[in-house]
Amino acid sequence: KECDWSSDVCSSDLFAADNILVNNVCPGLIMTRWTMGHGEERVKQFIESIPIGRVSELDDVADQVLVFARTDSATGQTTAVDGGETMF
C-alpha cells in the first residue's frame, strides 16, 4: 500500500493543475470464491484478525470509489477499505 500512496501523491501533484484528480482505494481482503477456497477454518482466522470482525464485500470498495468520483475537491488521497487492518 505504500507504493500506492506514494504514486498517488506524485500523480496528484503532477495533474492537479489540469484539474485531474488522482486518488487510490486500497482494498483489504474481499469475500470472493477465491477467499472461500482457503477453507472455512482459514477464512475464520482471517475474519478474527480484522478489527471490525468481517471481510469487505465488493460493494464496500465500490462505495468508496463513488465517494471519490462524486467530489471535485479530493486529490492525492488514499483510502484503505480493509476493516481497520491498516489503521495508524
Side-chain angles (χ1 to χ4, degrees):
K1 292 184 182 182
E2 179 63 30
C3 179
D4 290 339
W5 177 82
S6 59
S7 65
D8 182 27
V9 171
C10 291
S11 297
S12 65
D13 189 40
L14 290 171
F15 297 118
D18 294 320
N19 202 29
I20 298 171
L21 308 178
V22 180
N23 298 295
N24 283 328
V25 176
C26 299
L29 183 66
I30 303 296
M31 187 58 73
T32 64
R33 288 181 299 199
W34 178 84
T35 307
M36 295 308 294
H38 286 285
E40 191 173 318
E41 186 58 35
R42 185 68 179 129
V43 171
K44 183 179 175 188
Q45 290 173 342
F46 287 148
I47 293 170
E48 289 172 353
S49 73
I50 299 170
I52 67 169
R54 70 174 183 86
V55 296
S56 298
E57 302 287 338
L58 292 174
D59 285 347
D60 297 323
V61 177
D63 288 344
Q64 186 57 51
V65 170
L66 285 173
V67 168
F68 284 138
R70 290 180 177 148
T71 185
D72 60 358
S73 61
T75 192
Q77 302 303 306
T78 298
T79 299
V81 180
D82 64 3
E85 288 183 282
T86 57
M87 290 188 293
F88 318 43

